[in-house]
């Protein structure tokens, strides 16, 4: 095929995809919400087959009420242990009080609606929202099958950014602190601090919500118990990080990708984390670009990708966070994306989005994708591309901007 014929075919395919996603039925927000809720119902198919995560979450509430350790093993209740902070006992409380099947169903639906609403309330143009809903659907289903809070983490990071954009710093601080006190990931919301027009107010609200949410679980327990559980939580997270490094189901990150493909297990992850943090921080030096929304949104995309790529705790269900970041990277820029960017997004969707799906043959899924943490490969390439663009491109609005 000649280059000219390829360009014609590429343009035709692109227009067909835009027409498909632009169909009134497929872009209707109520239809999309209904489809996402169907995914939540599909997640219930795992009930009594692999509902272990929900049992752990449910146990956080009851162990808090009963004053027993949140971080010990309870083989008679579930396998594995809890790794979430004490404040999670209040998050899960409404679902823990219900019969198990009803609690799990509403938990899955609640997570789904939370992320759906975060995208809808972000203020992104409608076409971008539709693209996110469709592109992230498979990753959402994977997370729902695992009943994972990572769906809410994606919503929390997204909400933190757009609430700061809308100058609702008090609520942005609430989500940052909530995400931090539940799973630590929420702390990355502080990356948006420099974009706040009310930095002192944001700091004050961060302090207020830190005190409120630290003390909140004491309502269903006692101060001594909660303080003790926070100490246990810190010890638990330190031990968990060591376990994650060589875990098959964890460390599905850039860190894990490098370890598993090279076969070298003796070095410290700091050799990758420190350069990664420097590369992440480099675009912040371009203060002249802060005024451009596209630049700030690309920082958001970088945050969503970074939290997965540089965490040993990254797991399959966490890729809903990374795919949300990929969508924002692709759509935020004021220039027209070319075919290489589209090819990369297809690569991201197939390998990072569907890499844990039964649609991939088991031999490939287990022996290659999981064994070598290959789900991290496409989003790693995307993040490096993103970093290059943020250090070199002008994000000022143009007359014709990609929808």
């Amino acid at each position: 095929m000649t280059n000219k014929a390829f360009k014609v075919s590429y343009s035709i395919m692109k227009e067909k995809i835009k027409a498909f996603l632009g169909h009134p039925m497929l872009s209707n927000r109520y239809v999309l919400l209904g489809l996402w809720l169907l995914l939540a119902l599909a997640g219930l198919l795992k009930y009594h087959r692999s509902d272990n995560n929900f049992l752990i979450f449910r146990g956080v509430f009851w162990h808090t009420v009963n004053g027993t350790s949140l971080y010990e093993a309870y083989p008679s209740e579930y396998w594995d242990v809890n790794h979430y902070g004490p404040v999670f006992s209040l998050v899960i409380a409404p679902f823990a009080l219900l019969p198990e099947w009803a609690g799990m169903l509403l938990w899955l639906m609640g997570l789904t609606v939370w992320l759906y609403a975060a995208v809808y309330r972000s203020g992104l143009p409608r076409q971008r929202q539709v693209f996110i809903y469709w592109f992230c659907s498979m990753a959402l289903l994977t997370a729902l099958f695992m009943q994972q809070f990572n769906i809410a983490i994606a919503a929390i990071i997204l909400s933190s950014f757009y609430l700061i954009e809308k100058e609702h710093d008090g609520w942005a601080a609430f989500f940052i602190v909530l995400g931090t006190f539940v799973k630590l990931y929420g702390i990355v919301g502080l990356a948006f601090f420099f974009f706040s027009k009310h930095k002192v107010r944001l700091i004050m609200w961060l302090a207020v919500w830190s005190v409120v949410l630290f003390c909140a679980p004491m309502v269903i327990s006692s101060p001594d118990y909660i303080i003790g559980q926070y100490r246990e939580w810190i010890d638990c997270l330190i031990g968990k990080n060591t376990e994650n490094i060589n875990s098959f189901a964890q460390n599905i990150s850039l860190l894990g990708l490098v370890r598993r493909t090279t076969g070298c297990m003796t070095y410290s992850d700091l050799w990758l984390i420190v350069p990664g943090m420097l590369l992440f921080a480099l675009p912040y030096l371009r203060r002249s670009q802060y005024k451009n929304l596209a630049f700030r949104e690309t920082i958001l995309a970088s945050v969503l990708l970074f939290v997965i790529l540089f965490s040993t705790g990254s797991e399959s269900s966490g890729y809903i966070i990374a795919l949300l970041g990929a969508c924002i990277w692709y759509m935020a820029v004021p220039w027209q994306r070319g075919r290489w960017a589209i090819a990369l997004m297809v690569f991201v969707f197939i390998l990072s989005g569907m890499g844990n799906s039964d649609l991939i043959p088991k031999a490939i899924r287990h022996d290659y994708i999981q064994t070598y943490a290959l789900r991290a490969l496409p989003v790693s390439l995307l993040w490096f591309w993103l970093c290059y663009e943020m250090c070199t491109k002008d994000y000022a609005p143009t007359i014709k901007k990609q929808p």
Side-chain angles (χ1 to χ4, degrees), residues 110-359:
L111 291 173
T112 301
V113 171
W114 193 347
L115 180 55
Y116 181 93
V119 174
Y120 180 72
R121 298 289 296 175
S122 67
L124 286 168
R126 181 182 174 187
Q127 283 184 306
R128 298 187 186 182
Q129 292 181 20
V130 172
F131 181 73
I132 289 172
Y133 291 138
W134 283 106
F135 192 86
C136 295
S137 58
M138 285 300 298
L140 173 65
L141 184 59
T142 297
L144 287 168
F145 278 149
M146 302 175 72
Q147 310 102 50
Q148 274 290 4
F149 192 71
N150 285 314
I151 301 168
I153 291 295
I156 284 171
I157 297 172
L158 186 69
S159 297
S160 299
F161 174 82
Y162 283 107
L163 285 167
I164 287 176
E165 286 290 314
K166 297 175 183 179
E167 301 184 45
H168 299 314
D169 295 75
W171 284 113
F174 168 78
F175 283 113
I176 291 171
V177 175
L178 177 65
T180 303
F181 277 27
V182 170
K183 201 180 175 180
L184 287 188
Y185 278 8
I187 200 170
V188 298
L190 294 177
F192 313 134
F193 172 82
F194 297 102
F195 305 144
S196 172
K197 297 185 174 102
H198 312 283
K199 293 179 176 61
V200 174
R201 183 194 303 174
L202 179 58
I203 292 171
M204 289 176 59
W205 275 113
L206 286 169
V208 169
W209 284 120
S210 294
V211 173
V212 170
L213 292 181
F214 182 90
C215 297
M218 298 176 187
V219 173
I220 59 173
S221 54
S222 68
D224 288 343
Y225 169 79
I226 292 301
I227 292 171
Q229 292 308 296
Y230 275 111
R231 293 196 189 102
E232 285 192 34
W233 186 36
I234 294 171
D235 293 338
C236 173
L237 292 178
I238 293 173
K240 179 63 174 172
N241 181 65
T242 303
E243 293 175 13
N244 287 342
I245 291 176
N246 298 314
S247 171
F248 185 78
Q250 306 286 330
N251 206 10
I252 307 174
S253 62
L254 177 58
L255 307 179
L257 175 67
V258 172
R259 279 189 182 276
R260 298 182 193 184
T261 54
T262 62
C264 183
M265 300 292 177
T266 57
Y267 65 90
S268 169
D269 280 335
L270 290 177
W271 286 104
L272 294 175
I273 293 173
V274 171
M277 292 180 69
L278 292 174
L279 191 55
F280 172 82
L282 202 56
Y284 281 92
L285 298 178
R286 303 185 70 197
R287 295 182 60 86
S288 62
Q289 292 290 327
Y290 284 18
K291 64 180 180 292
N292 299 318
L293 176 60
F295 182 83
R296 301 193 301 272
E297 287 182 334
T298 307
I299 288 283
L300 166 63
S302 181
V303 168
L304 290 163
L305 292 162
F306 186 91
V307 77
I308 296 301
L309 294 176
F310 291 91
S311 169
T312 60
S314 296
E315 53 192 343
S316 292
S317 64
Y319 273 76
I320 182 66
I321 302 172
L323 262 68
L324 179 60
C327 288
I328 293 171
W329 166 79
Y330 179 77
M331 298 182 295
V333 298
W335 58 84
Q336 187 74 26
R337 287 290 186 196
R339 59 176 178 266
W340 284 110
I342 294 174
L344 180 56
M345 287 296 286
V346 172
F347 190 32
V348 168
F349 181 80
I350 293 174
L351 190 53
S352 297
M354 299 173 58
N356 201 52
S357 167
D358 289 338
L359 296 175

